[in-house]
């Protein structure tokens, strides 16, 4: 298998769904997509973050008047079906089926035109970035997709190339990964980014607490709870 990765970066005000991610930095969405045909695709998206942000994305997804699929200047006309499969204060799982896509272009319709049938799309949304990782059996026409994305993105969107190479592991668990409350996710993300989990450690717990402007005891508690949930989820146990 080959994999092709890239980011699409959104300016504020260019897409209502991405605006929610920009306004709520702890909101994260991971999704799997599949193209049934060049004008038809499905998506199952798992979002974790603050309740207000999750509510906002859910409202936008279910509002037929809001069209956020197209990445070109022309909006996509399409038949849309959305269903909320799971709902809690810190998590949503939303299934979407989009068909009869005409006029504008989505990443999925462009990829479906140039890439082999059966390709799999994994994405992550965070802040102003929508990151794509495409698994495919052949990259023969991936250059055509690259050109189409680079040349046709609408104003306020920009393309950032990642890599094209042999697939190196799955490394994606959108459907089975463990949900963390926003405060625990923020703590763990900061710990990872600042080298707390590296050997040797690059930051102390006291210094990390200062970075986050929280008491040391609070940070320690959040990290312990996050680690417990992650380990329990990985081993197939529930908490």
């Amino acid at each position: 298998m080959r994999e092709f990765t890239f980011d699409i970066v959104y300016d504020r005000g260019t897409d209502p769904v991405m605006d929610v991610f920009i306004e709520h930095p702890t909101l994260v969405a991971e999704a799997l997509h599949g193209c049934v045909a060049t004008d038809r695709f499905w998506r199952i998206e798992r979002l974790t973050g603050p309740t207000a942000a999750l509510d906002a994305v859910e409202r936008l997804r279910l509002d037929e008047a809001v069209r956020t699929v197209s990445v070109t200047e022309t909006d996509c006309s399409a038949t849309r079906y959305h269903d909320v499969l799971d709902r809690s204060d810190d998590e949503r799982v939303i299934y979407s089926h989009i068909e009869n896509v005409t006029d504008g272009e989505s990443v999925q319709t462009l990829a479906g035109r140039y890439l082999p049938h059966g390709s799999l799309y994994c994405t992550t949304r965070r802040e102003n970035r929508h990151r794509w990782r495409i698994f495919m059996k052949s990259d023969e026409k991936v250059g055509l997709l690259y050109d189409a994305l680079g040349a046709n993105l609408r104003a306020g969107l920009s393309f950032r190339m990642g890599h094209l190479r042999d697939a190196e592991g799955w490394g994606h668990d959108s459907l089975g990964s463990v949900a963390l409350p926003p405060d625990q996710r923020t703590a763990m993300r900061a710990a990872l980014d600042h080298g707390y989990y590296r050997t040797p450690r690059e930051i102390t717990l006291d210094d990390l607490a200062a970075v986050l402007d929280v008491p040391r005891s609070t940070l320690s508690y959040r990290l312990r709870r996050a680690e417990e949930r992650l380990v329990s989820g990985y081993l197939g146990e529930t908490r």
Side-chain angles (χ1 to χ4, degrees), residues 61-205:
R61 283 278 184 254
L62 301 180
D63 188 344
E64 287 292 328
V66 176
R67 298 182 176 182
T68 65
V69 171
S70 181
V71 293
T72 65
E73 292 292 352
T74 305
D75 284 338
C76 289
S77 297
T79 303
R80 298 169 173 83
Y81 171 80
H82 303 284
D83 194 11
V84 180
L85 303 182
D86 195 12
R87 181 189 289 112
S88 68
D89 288 344
D90 54 22
E91 181 180 10
R92 301 292 154 87
V93 178
I94 302 176
Y95 170 79
S96 301
H97 185 270
I98 314 295
E99 61 182 356
N100 303 321
V101 180
T102 57
D103 299 326
E105 298 282 7
S106 67
V107 173
Q108 295 94 329
T109 58
L110 287 169
R113 183 178 306 159
Y114 299 117
L115 301 185
H117 293 305
S119 297
L120 182 63
Y121 312 89
C122 306
T123 65
T124 301
R125 296 181 193 248
R126 179 182 287 116
E127 297 182 353
N128 66 339
R129 289 181 178 265
H130 194 181
R131 177 157 295 172
W132 290 78
R133 187 184 188 196
I134 302 178
F135 293 88
M136 54 202 163
K137 62 183 180 181
S138 170
D139 61 10
E140 180 181 358
K141 296 183 178 179
V142 75
L144 297 175
L145 174 60
Y146 174 90
D147 292 341
L149 287 169
N152 294 298
L153 292 181
R154 55 188 165 90
L157 277 62
S158 56
F159 179 85
R160 299 287 186 271
M161 177 67 181
H163 60 250
L164 175 63
R165 65 189 184 195
D166 288 339
E168 296 182 351
W170 174 239
H172 190 97
D173 196 16
S174 294
L175 304 183
S177 56
V178 180
L180 294 177
D183 56 354
Q184 293 178 23
R185 176 180 286 273
T186 298
M188 183 152 280
R189 168 59 61 182
L192 183 63
D193 290 346
H194 287 84
Y196 181 74
Y197 289 112
R198 294 195 183 105
T199 303
R201 282 181 173 165
E202 298 177 1
I203 192 171
T204 66
L205 191 63

Side-chain angles (χ1 to χ4, degrees), residues 20-28 50 125-127 185-186:
V20 180
F21 287 85
I22 293 171
E23 292 165 9
H24 299 272
T26 59
L27 176 64
V28 178
R125 296 181 193 248
R126 179 182 287 116
E127 297 182 353
R185 176 180 286 273
T186 298

